[in-house]
Amino acid sequence: MASTKDDQKPKPGDLIEIFRGTYQHWAIYVGKGYVIHLAPPSEYAQAGAYSSMSVLCDKAIVKKEELYEVVGNHEYRINNLLDEEYEPQPVREILKDAHRQLGEHSYCVFSGNCEHFVTELRYGKAQSRQVRKAVEVGVVATVAAAVIVGLLRLIFSTNRWTVAHGDTHHKLQIID
């Protein structure tokens, strides 16, 4: 198992962020080397058909597993990301609620993923920075694409006028 990025030891109720290349998986530490996490359809063989839609929204399973099994060869860190924004729930409540969630669970990458799951347990607020970032990137990309399309239309419409009139030096006269 890879170690934490800063060699800290997790305490019960801590959020564990696992770096898996293009995304982060999240779990909550429950003590004695175990975490509880929401395993998405891609990690849960009985979750349903493996299509792009089953990865976006489907059923998943909440599992209690050893931290080293969930982390594998990836790096991880303790990341109680919203502690400055929200007061964490009492540890006893976090652990009780986490254990109560074990078993089949709904999954939606946009509103009910593993990060939503653990932040709901720790803070009582389901949030996902990954989803928020993806939406922000999507909005920026959409605006950029609209600007590029607008510029291309302007360039090509100017070229059509030049070809049709054969001269770009026509003077515009304003008539009173």
Side-chain angles (χ1 to χ4, degrees):
M1 172 178 78
S3 62
T4 62
K5 287 189 163 201
D6 53 14
D7 290 327
Q8 288 184 312
K9 301 290 181 222
K11 297 182 297 291
D14 279 342
L15 302 185
I16 307 296
E17 182 179 20
I18 304 160
F19 299 92
R20 292 190 174 167
T22 59
Y23 74 101
Q24 289 80 40
H25 184 62
W26 291 82
I28 193 154
Y29 189 76
V30 295
K32 298 183 180 176
Y34 283 86
V35 295
I36 291 179
H37 66 113
L38 178 64
S42 60
E43 296 180 17
Y44 171 40
Q46 289 77 38
Y50 287 107
S51 67
S52 59
M53 286 310 293
S54 72
V55 172
L56 296 177
C57 292
D58 202 349
K59 292 188 190 284
I61 190 165
V62 176
K63 297 178 176 182
K64 181 177 181 179
E65 296 182 285
E66 290 188 53
L67 176 60
Y68 80 90
E69 288 179 8
V70 177
V71 170
N73 293 324
H74 299 98
E75 284 192 349
Y76 72 98
R77 71 176 174 172
I78 298 164
N79 187 0
N80 298 316
L81 69 158
L82 299 173
D83 277 7
E84 292 182 18
E85 218 172 308
Y86 303 111
E87 175 127 3
Q89 305 286 343
V91 172
R92 180 177 294 167
E93 290 299 313
I94 293 171
L95 300 181
K96 186 171 70 171
D97 289 347
H99 283 91
R100 198 177 313 144
Q101 298 286 333
L102 292 172
E104 195 167 271
H105 201 279
S106 62
Y107 179 88
C108 183
V109 73
F110 303 112
S111 61
N113 65 34
C114 57
E115 188 176 2
H116 289 108
F117 176 74
V118 298
T119 57
E120 175 78 31
L121 289 169
R122 184 168 175 89
Y123 305 106
K125 310 261 186 222
Q127 294 191 14
S128 175
R129 290 177 312 155
Q130 291 180 96
V131 170
R132 189 170 39 218
K133 262 188 219 170
V135 168
E136 289 169 1
V137 167
V139 167
V140 168
T142 300
V143 169
V147 168
I148 290 168
V149 167
L151 288 171
L152 290 173
R153 292 179 85 181
L154 180 64
I155 290 167
F156 287 116
S157 68
T158 302
N159 285 341
R160 276 193 303 245
W161 189 87
T162 301
V163 169
H165 295 87
D167 182 7
T168 59
H169 300 300
H170 289 282
K171 291 184 180 174
L172 179 64
Q173 293 180 345
I174 299 175
I175 301 174
D176 290 331

